[in-house]
Amino acid sequence: GLIAKGLLESRPKRGTLVRDQIHWNHLDPDLLRWRIETTDTSTYLEKMFALRRATEPEAAALAARHALPENRAQLAADFQAMVDAGDADAAWVEADLAFHRTIYLATQNEFFWPIGEMLAVSLRQMFSIAAQGSHRARAIAEHGDLCSAIVEGKPDLARAASLTMLGNAVS
């Protein structure tokens, strides 16, 4: 319930109170979904994009350094699914989300994993907005560069490719 999630606290003789947001787990998938549904979308997406800019270039570098063969194969498969999606927006969004989630998992750092999972939940909406066709060719090229850098184990190139992608992303 909401008490277990840390949103509420129950005290004898005082009843149930909403806890200050500083005590909430903002990475909780349920809380993320509720926030998406109730928060101003542009503000929410700006905050998510700031988190991506802060974490994803380093996650890409760590993935290039530490990814297991199965992570590299998964990332290549996720990228191929983006290519194969063509003009199908739903397939593109799912492949794009999987690609970014795989980067976080490939870091082999369990502290990055929840960020990747959280972004997969919250970015579905952002990517649906950005998936509209005009940026697709550039996005394929940029994801391809990032994929190659990670698969080939080149951390500096991976970081740079991620920064380029985030610099051009629709925020």
PDB file of all heavy atoms in Angstrom, residues 71-102:
ATOM      1  N   ASN A  71      25.292  -9.000 -23.239  1.00  0.00           N
ATOM      2  CA  ASN A  71      24.834  -7.607 -23.268  1.00  0.00           C
ATOM      3  C   ASN A  71      25.105  -6.973 -24.629  1.00  0.00           C
ATOM      4  O   ASN A  71      24.255  -6.259 -25.174  1.00  0.00           O
ATOM      5  CB  ASN A  71      25.540  -6.756 -22.209  1.00  0.00           C
ATOM      6  CG  ASN A  71      25.347  -7.218 -20.787  1.00  0.00           C
ATOM      7  OD1 ASN A  71      26.319  -7.366 -20.043  1.00  0.00           O
ATOM      8  ND2 ASN A  71      24.112  -7.454 -20.382  1.00  0.00           N
ATOM      9  N   ARG A  72      26.283  -7.244 -25.175  1.00  0.00           N
ATOM     10  CA  ARG A  72      26.645  -6.673 -26.477  1.00  0.00           C
ATOM     11  C   ARG A  72      25.701  -7.224 -27.564  1.00  0.00           C
ATOM     12  O   ARG A  72      25.237  -6.476 -28.425  1.00  0.00           O
ATOM     13  CB  ARG A  72      28.104  -6.982 -26.800  1.00  0.00           C
ATOM     14  CG  ARG A  72      29.082  -6.330 -25.831  1.00  0.00           C
ATOM     15  CD  ARG A  72      30.555  -6.699 -26.131  1.00  0.00           C
ATOM     16  NE  ARG A  72      31.405  -6.513 -24.969  1.00  0.00           N
ATOM     17  CZ  ARG A  72      31.914  -5.345 -24.565  1.00  0.00           C
ATOM     18  NH1 ARG A  72      31.658  -4.256 -25.253  1.00  0.00           N
ATOM     19  NH2 ARG A  72      32.667  -5.274 -23.489  1.00  0.00           N
ATOM     20  N   ALA A  73      25.417  -8.514 -27.479  1.00  0.00           N
ATOM     21  CA  ALA A  73      24.499  -9.132 -28.447  1.00  0.00           C
ATOM     22  C   ALA A  73      23.091  -8.549 -28.301  1.00  0.00           C
ATOM     23  O   ALA A  73      22.410  -8.290 -29.303  1.00  0.00           O
ATOM     24  CB  ALA A  73      24.475 -10.648 -28.252  1.00  0.00           C
ATOM     25  N   GLN A  74      22.650  -8.327 -27.062  1.00  0.00           N
ATOM     26  CA  GLN A  74      21.311  -7.761 -26.829  1.00  0.00           C
ATOM     27  C   GLN A  74      21.231  -6.343 -27.370  1.00  0.00           C
ATOM     28  O   GLN A  74      20.240  -5.959 -27.988  1.00  0.00           O
ATOM     29  CB  GLN A  74      20.964  -7.785 -25.335  1.00  0.00           C
ATOM     30  CG  GLN A  74      19.557  -7.295 -25.030  1.00  0.00           C
ATOM     31  CD  GLN A  74      18.499  -8.160 -25.690  1.00  0.00           C
ATOM     32  OE1 GLN A  74      18.460  -9.368 -25.496  1.00  0.00           O
ATOM     33  NE2 GLN A  74      17.634  -7.554 -26.501  1.00  0.00           N
ATOM     34  N   LEU A  75      22.278  -5.543 -27.125  1.00  0.00           N
ATOM     35  CA  LEU A  75      22.268  -4.165 -27.612  1.00  0.00           C
ATOM     36  C   LEU A  75      22.206  -4.133 -29.141  1.00  0.00           C
ATOM     37  O   LEU A  75      21.445  -3.353 -29.727  1.00  0.00           O
ATOM     38  CB  LEU A  75      23.500  -3.408 -27.103  1.00  0.00           C
ATOM     39  CG  LEU A  75      23.459  -1.898 -27.331  1.00  0.00           C
ATOM     40  CD1 LEU A  75      22.354  -1.249 -26.487  1.00  0.00           C
ATOM     41  CD2 LEU A  75      24.808  -1.272 -27.006  1.00  0.00           C
ATOM     42  N   ALA A  76      22.982  -5.004 -29.772  1.00  0.00           N
ATOM     43  CA  ALA A  76      22.957  -5.085 -31.242  1.00  0.00           C
ATOM     44  C   ALA A  76      21.569  -5.501 -31.727  1.00  0.00           C
ATOM     45  O   ALA A  76      21.059  -4.965 -32.720  1.00  0.00           O
ATOM     46  CB  ALA A  76      24.025  -6.057 -31.739  1.00  0.00           C
ATOM     47  N   ALA A  77      20.930  -6.433 -31.018  1.00  0.00           N
ATOM     48  CA  ALA A  77      19.583  -6.884 -31.381  1.00  0.00           C
ATOM     49  C   ALA A  77      18.560  -5.755 -31.179  1.00  0.00           C
ATOM     50  O   ALA A  77      17.661  -5.571 -32.006  1.00  0.00           O
ATOM     51  CB  ALA A  77      19.194  -8.107 -30.557  1.00  0.00           C
ATOM     52  N   ASP A  78      18.722  -4.995 -30.075  1.00  0.00           N
ATOM     53  CA  ASP A  78      17.817  -3.867 -29.825  1.00  0.00           C
ATOM     54  C   ASP A  78      17.953  -2.824 -30.938  1.00  0.00           C
ATOM     55  O   ASP A  78      16.958  -2.276 -31.420  1.00  0.00           O
ATOM     56  CB  ASP A  78      18.121  -3.204 -28.479  1.00  0.00           C
ATOM     57  CG  ASP A  78      17.843  -4.107 -27.284  1.00  0.00           C
ATOM     58  OD1 ASP A  78      17.053  -5.065 -27.412  1.00  0.00           O
ATOM     59  OD2 ASP A  78      18.426  -3.846 -26.208  1.00  0.00           O
ATOM     60  N   PHE A  79      19.200  -2.561 -31.341  1.00  0.00           N
ATOM     61  CA  PHE A  79      19.421  -1.593 -32.422  1.00  0.00           C
ATOM     62  C   PHE A  79      18.812  -2.095 -33.729  1.00  0.00           C
ATOM     63  O   PHE A  79      18.143  -1.343 -34.448  1.00  0.00           O
ATOM     64  CB  PHE A  79      20.914  -1.296 -32.600  1.00  0.00           C
ATOM     65  CG  PHE A  79      21.187  -0.402 -33.778  1.00  0.00           C
ATOM     66  CD1 PHE A  79      20.733   0.904 -33.780  1.00  0.00           C
ATOM     67  CD2 PHE A  79      21.863  -0.882 -34.882  1.00  0.00           C
ATOM     68  CE1 PHE A  79      20.966   1.733 -34.882  1.00  0.00           C
ATOM     69  CE2 PHE A  79      22.089  -0.065 -35.979  1.00  0.00           C
ATOM     70  CZ  PHE A  79      21.647   1.251 -35.975  1.00  0.00           C
ATOM     71  N   GLN A  80      19.002  -3.387 -34.018  1.00  0.00           N
ATOM     72  CA  GLN A  80      18.428  -3.952 -35.240  1.00  0.00           C
ATOM     73  C   GLN A  80      16.907  -3.849 -35.225  1.00  0.00           C
ATOM     74  O   GLN A  80      16.276  -3.576 -36.254  1.00  0.00           O
ATOM     75  CB  GLN A  80      18.865  -5.409 -35.425  1.00  0.00           C
ATOM     76  CG  GLN A  80      18.478  -5.984 -36.784  1.00  0.00           C
ATOM     77  CD  GLN A  80      19.071  -5.197 -37.952  1.00  0.00           C
ATOM     78  OE1 GLN A  80      20.262  -4.927 -37.986  1.00  0.00           O
ATOM     79  NE2 GLN A  80      18.226  -4.819 -38.914  1.00  0.00           N
ATOM     80  N   ALA A  81      16.302  -4.017 -34.045  1.00  0.00           N
ATOM     81  CA  ALA A  81      14.844  -3.885 -33.923  1.00  0.00           C
ATOM     82  C   ALA A  81      14.406  -2.453 -34.226  1.00  0.00           C
ATOM     83  O   ALA A  81      13.330  -2.236 -34.805  1.00  0.00           O
ATOM     84  CB  ALA A  81      14.385  -4.305 -32.531  1.00  0.00           C
ATOM     85  N   MET A  82      15.242  -1.468 -33.860  1.00  0.00           N
ATOM     86  CA  MET A  82      14.929  -0.077 -34.204  1.00  0.00           C
ATOM     87  C   MET A  82      14.955   0.099 -35.721  1.00  0.00           C
ATOM     88  O   MET A  82      14.059   0.712 -36.291  1.00  0.00           O
ATOM     89  CB  MET A  82      15.929   0.874 -33.546  1.00  0.00           C
ATOM     90  CG  MET A  82      15.811   0.959 -32.036  1.00  0.00           C
ATOM     91  SD  MET A  82      17.045   2.066 -31.322  1.00  0.00           S
ATOM     92  CE  MET A  82      16.397   3.655 -31.855  1.00  0.00           C
ATOM     93  N   VAL A  83      15.987  -0.441 -36.360  1.00  0.00           N
ATOM     94  CA  VAL A  83      16.100  -0.356 -37.816  1.00  0.00           C
ATOM     95  C   VAL A  83      14.901  -1.038 -38.469  1.00  0.00           C
ATOM     96  O   VAL A  83      14.271  -0.490 -39.381  1.00  0.00           O
ATOM     97  CB  VAL A  83      17.424  -0.992 -38.302  1.00  0.00           C
ATOM     98  CG1 VAL A  83      17.469  -1.058 -39.819  1.00  0.00           C
ATOM     99  CG2 VAL A  83      18.627  -0.228 -37.748  1.00  0.00           C
ATOM    100  N   ASP A  84      14.574  -2.233 -37.972  1.00  0.00           N
ATOM    101  CA  ASP A  84      13.487  -3.027 -38.553  1.00  0.00           C
ATOM    102  C   ASP A  84      12.107  -2.401 -38.335  1.00  0.00           C
ATOM    103  O   ASP A  84      11.171  -2.714 -39.063  1.00  0.00           O
ATOM    104  CB  ASP A  84      13.493  -4.445 -37.974  1.00  0.00           C
ATOM    105  CG  ASP A  84      14.716  -5.243 -38.400  1.00  0.00           C
ATOM    106  OD1 ASP A  84      15.422  -4.816 -39.336  1.00  0.00           O
ATOM    107  OD2 ASP A  84      14.990  -6.277 -37.765  1.00  0.00           O
ATOM    108  N   ALA A  85      11.978  -1.528 -37.331  1.00  0.00           N
ATOM    109  CA  ALA A  85      10.675  -0.921 -37.018  1.00  0.00           C
ATOM    110  C   ALA A  85      10.183  -0.050 -38.173  1.00  0.00           C
ATOM    111  O   ALA A  85       8.973   0.112 -38.354  1.00  0.00           O
ATOM    112  CB  ALA A  85      10.759  -0.100 -35.741  1.00  0.00           C
ATOM    113  N   GLY A  86      11.113   0.494 -38.945  1.00  0.00           N
ATOM    114  CA  GLY A  86      10.704   1.330 -40.075  1.00  0.00           C
ATOM    115  C   GLY A  86       9.836   2.485 -39.618  1.00  0.00           C
ATOM    116  O   GLY A  86      10.224   3.252 -38.741  1.00  0.00           O
ATOM    117  N   ASP A  87       8.640   2.567 -40.177  1.00  0.00           N
ATOM    118  CA  ASP A  87       7.735   3.666 -39.851  1.00  0.00           C
ATOM    119  C   ASP A  87       6.742   3.317 -38.742  1.00  0.00           C
ATOM    120  O   ASP A  87       5.871   4.127 -38.425  1.00  0.00           O
ATOM    121  CB  ASP A  87       6.947   4.084 -41.108  1.00  0.00           C
ATOM    122  CG  ASP A  87       7.858   4.693 -42.161  1.00  0.00           C
ATOM    123  OD1 ASP A  87       8.878   5.292 -41.779  1.00  0.00           O
ATOM    124  OD2 ASP A  87       7.542   4.563 -43.357  1.00  0.00           O
ATOM    125  N   ALA A  88       6.866   2.134 -38.166  1.00  0.00           N
ATOM    126  CA  ALA A  88       5.918   1.708 -37.123  1.00  0.00           C
ATOM    127  C   ALA A  88       6.304   2.354 -35.793  1.00  0.00           C
ATOM    128  O   ALA A  88       7.269   1.941 -35.149  1.00  0.00           O
ATOM    129  CB  ALA A  88       5.923   0.188 -37.005  1.00  0.00           C
ATOM    130  N   ASP A  89       5.550   3.368 -35.381  1.00  0.00           N
ATOM    131  CA  ASP A  89       5.916   4.118 -34.185  1.00  0.00           C
ATOM    132  C   ASP A  89       5.971   3.267 -32.928  1.00  0.00           C
ATOM    133  O   ASP A  89       6.903   3.380 -32.129  1.00  0.00           O
ATOM    134  CB  ASP A  89       4.937   5.284 -33.966  1.00  0.00           C
ATOM    135  CG  ASP A  89       5.174   6.434 -34.936  1.00  0.00           C
ATOM    136  OD1 ASP A  89       6.194   6.414 -35.654  1.00  0.00           O
ATOM    137  OD2 ASP A  89       4.334   7.348 -34.971  1.00  0.00           O
ATOM    138  N   ALA A  90       4.986   2.389 -32.707  1.00  0.00           N
ATOM    139  CA  ALA A  90       4.951   1.590 -31.482  1.00  0.00           C
ATOM    140  C   ALA A  90       6.155   0.655 -31.407  1.00  0.00           C
ATOM    141  O   ALA A  90       6.798   0.540 -30.352  1.00  0.00           O
ATOM    142  CB  ALA A  90       3.657   0.790 -31.400  1.00  0.00           C
ATOM    143  N   ALA A  91       6.488   0.014 -32.517  1.00  0.00           N
ATOM    144  CA  ALA A  91       7.640  -0.891 -32.541  1.00  0.00           C
ATOM    145  C   ALA A  91       8.934  -0.109 -32.325  1.00  0.00           C
ATOM    146  O   ALA A  91       9.853  -0.574 -31.631  1.00  0.00           O
ATOM    147  CB  ALA A  91       7.692  -1.647 -33.872  1.00  0.00           C
ATOM    148  N   TRP A  92       9.011   1.077 -32.908  1.00  0.00           N
ATOM    149  CA  TRP A  92      10.194   1.930 -32.730  1.00  0.00           C
ATOM    150  C   TRP A  92      10.383   2.288 -31.249  1.00  0.00           C
ATOM    151  O   TRP A  92      11.473   2.161 -30.707  1.00  0.00           O
ATOM    152  CB  TRP A  92      10.041   3.209 -33.566  1.00  0.00           C
ATOM    153  CG  TRP A  92      11.052   4.258 -33.218  1.00  0.00           C
ATOM    154  CD1 TRP A  92      10.971   5.212 -32.245  1.00  0.00           C
ATOM    155  CD2 TRP A  92      12.343   4.444 -33.832  1.00  0.00           C
ATOM    156  NE1 TRP A  92      12.104   5.975 -32.218  1.00  0.00           N
ATOM    157  CE2 TRP A  92      12.957   5.529 -33.182  1.00  0.00           C
ATOM    158  CE3 TRP A  92      13.006   3.791 -34.869  1.00  0.00           C
ATOM    159  CZ2 TRP A  92      14.229   5.980 -33.535  1.00  0.00           C
ATOM    160  CZ3 TRP A  92      14.271   4.254 -35.227  1.00  0.00           C
ATOM    161  CH2 TRP A  92      14.869   5.322 -34.563  1.00  0.00           C
ATOM    162  N   VAL A  93       9.310   2.748 -30.606  1.00  0.00           N
ATOM    163  CA  VAL A  93       9.390   3.161 -29.207  1.00  0.00           C
ATOM    164  C   VAL A  93       9.849   1.995 -28.330  1.00  0.00           C
ATOM    165  O   VAL A  93      10.739   2.144 -27.488  1.00  0.00           O
ATOM    166  CB  VAL A  93       8.041   3.731 -28.714  1.00  0.00           C
ATOM    167  CG1 VAL A  93       8.038   3.903 -27.196  1.00  0.00           C
ATOM    168  CG2 VAL A  93       7.758   5.062 -29.403  1.00  0.00           C
ATOM    169  N   GLU A  94       9.265   0.820 -28.529  1.00  0.00           N
ATOM    170  CA  GLU A  94       9.646  -0.335 -27.711  1.00  0.00           C
ATOM    171  C   GLU A  94      11.113  -0.711 -27.927  1.00  0.00           C
ATOM    172  O   GLU A  94      11.831  -1.024 -26.979  1.00  0.00           O
ATOM    173  CB  GLU A  94       8.732  -1.526 -28.001  1.00  0.00           C
ATOM    174  CG  GLU A  94       7.307  -1.336 -27.501  1.00  0.00           C
ATOM    175  CD  GLU A  94       7.221  -0.907 -26.042  1.00  0.00           C
ATOM    176  OE1 GLU A  94       7.893  -1.511 -25.180  1.00  0.00           O
ATOM    177  OE2 GLU A  94       6.488   0.059 -25.748  1.00  0.00           O
ATOM    178  N   ALA A  95      11.576  -0.687 -29.173  1.00  0.00           N
ATOM    179  CA  ALA A  95      12.972  -1.017 -29.465  1.00  0.00           C
ATOM    180  C   ALA A  95      13.912   0.029 -28.879  1.00  0.00           C
ATOM    181  O   ALA A  95      14.974  -0.306 -28.334  1.00  0.00           O
ATOM    182  CB  ALA A  95      13.171  -1.137 -30.974  1.00  0.00           C
ATOM    183  N   ASP A  96      13.524   1.296 -28.972  1.00  0.00           N
ATOM    184  CA  ASP A  96      14.337   2.390 -28.433  1.00  0.00           C
ATOM    185  C   ASP A  96      14.449   2.270 -26.912  1.00  0.00           C
ATOM    186  O   ASP A  96      15.531   2.385 -26.338  1.00  0.00           O
ATOM    187  CB  ASP A  96      13.697   3.726 -28.833  1.00  0.00           C
ATOM    188  CG  ASP A  96      14.653   4.905 -28.754  1.00  0.00           C
ATOM    189  OD1 ASP A  96      15.815   4.725 -28.341  1.00  0.00           O
ATOM    190  OD2 ASP A  96      14.243   6.015 -29.117  1.00  0.00           O
ATOM    191  N   LEU A  97      13.324   2.008 -26.241  1.00  0.00           N
ATOM    192  CA  LEU A  97      13.339   1.819 -24.788  1.00  0.00           C
ATOM    193  C   LEU A  97      14.235   0.644 -24.409  1.00  0.00           C
ATOM    194  O   LEU A  97      15.029   0.735 -23.460  1.00  0.00           O
ATOM    195  CB  LEU A  97      11.923   1.575 -24.271  1.00  0.00           C
ATOM    196  CG  LEU A  97      10.979   2.778 -24.301  1.00  0.00           C
ATOM    197  CD1 LEU A  97       9.551   2.333 -24.033  1.00  0.00           C
ATOM    198  CD2 LEU A  97      11.419   3.825 -23.287  1.00  0.00           C
ATOM    199  N   ALA A  98      14.113  -0.462 -25.132  1.00  0.00           N
ATOM    200  CA  ALA A  98      14.927  -1.647 -24.844  1.00  0.00           C
ATOM    201  C   ALA A  98      16.411  -1.335 -25.015  1.00  0.00           C
ATOM    202  O   ALA A  98      17.245  -1.748 -24.200  1.00  0.00           O
ATOM    203  CB  ALA A  98      14.516  -2.802 -25.754  1.00  0.00           C
ATOM    204  N   PHE A  99      16.755  -0.589 -26.059  1.00  0.00           N
ATOM    205  CA  PHE A  99      18.140  -0.215 -26.338  1.00  0.00           C
ATOM    206  C   PHE A  99      18.743   0.531 -25.142  1.00  0.00           C
ATOM    207  O   PHE A  99      19.819   0.186 -24.655  1.00  0.00           O
ATOM    208  CB  PHE A  99      18.183   0.660 -27.599  1.00  0.00           C
ATOM    209  CG  PHE A  99      19.554   1.102 -28.017  1.00  0.00           C
ATOM    210  CD1 PHE A  99      20.298   0.342 -28.914  1.00  0.00           C
ATOM    211  CD2 PHE A  99      20.101   2.284 -27.543  1.00  0.00           C
ATOM    212  CE1 PHE A  99      21.566   0.755 -29.317  1.00  0.00           C
ATOM    213  CE2 PHE A  99      21.368   2.710 -27.936  1.00  0.00           C
ATOM    214  CZ  PHE A  99      22.102   1.933 -28.833  1.00  0.00           C
ATOM    215  N   HIS A 100      18.024   1.548 -24.653  1.00  0.00           N
ATOM    216  CA  HIS A 100      18.551   2.361 -23.552  1.00  0.00           C
ATOM    217  C   HIS A 100      18.588   1.577 -22.250  1.00  0.00           C
ATOM    218  O   HIS A 100      19.546   1.697 -21.482  1.00  0.00           O
ATOM    219  CB  HIS A 100      17.757   3.659 -23.432  1.00  0.00           C
ATOM    220  CG  HIS A 100      17.987   4.561 -24.600  1.00  0.00           C
ATOM    221  ND1 HIS A 100      19.070   5.405 -24.687  1.00  0.00           N
ATOM    222  CD2 HIS A 100      17.315   4.704 -25.762  1.00  0.00           C
ATOM    223  CE1 HIS A 100      19.038   6.051 -25.844  1.00  0.00           C
ATOM    224  NE2 HIS A 100      17.985   5.640 -26.514  1.00  0.00           N
ATOM    225  N   ARG A 101      17.589   0.739 -22.018  1.00  0.00           N
ATOM    226  CA  ARG A 101      17.581  -0.105 -20.820  1.00  0.00           C
ATOM    227  C   ARG A 101      18.779  -1.057 -20.842  1.00  0.00           C
ATOM    228  O   ARG A 101      19.444  -1.262 -19.823  1.00  0.00           O
ATOM    229  CB  ARG A 101      16.269  -0.894 -20.768  1.00  0.00           C
ATOM    230  CG  ARG A 101      16.137  -1.814 -19.587  1.00  0.00           C
ATOM    231  CD  ARG A 101      14.746  -2.475 -19.609  1.00  0.00           C
ATOM    232  NE  ARG A 101      14.655  -3.496 -18.610  1.00  0.00           N
ATOM    233  CZ  ARG A 101      14.988  -4.776 -18.802  1.00  0.00           C
ATOM    234  NH1 ARG A 101      15.434  -5.170 -19.993  1.00  0.00           N
ATOM    235  NH2 ARG A 101      14.872  -5.653 -17.842  1.00  0.00           N
ATOM    236  N   THR A 102      19.081  -1.626 -21.994  1.00  0.00           N
ATOM    237  CA  THR A 102      20.208  -2.549 -22.124  1.00  0.00           C
ATOM    238  C   THR A 102      21.528  -1.860 -21.788  1.00  0.00           C
ATOM    239  O   THR A 102      22.407  -2.469 -21.175  1.00  0.00           O
ATOM    240  CB  THR A 102      20.251  -3.167 -23.539  1.00  0.00           C
ATOM    241  OG1 THR A 102      19.059  -3.942 -23.727  1.00  0.00           O
ATOM    242  CG2 THR A 102      21.460  -4.067 -23.733  1.00  0.00           C
TER     243      THR A 102
END
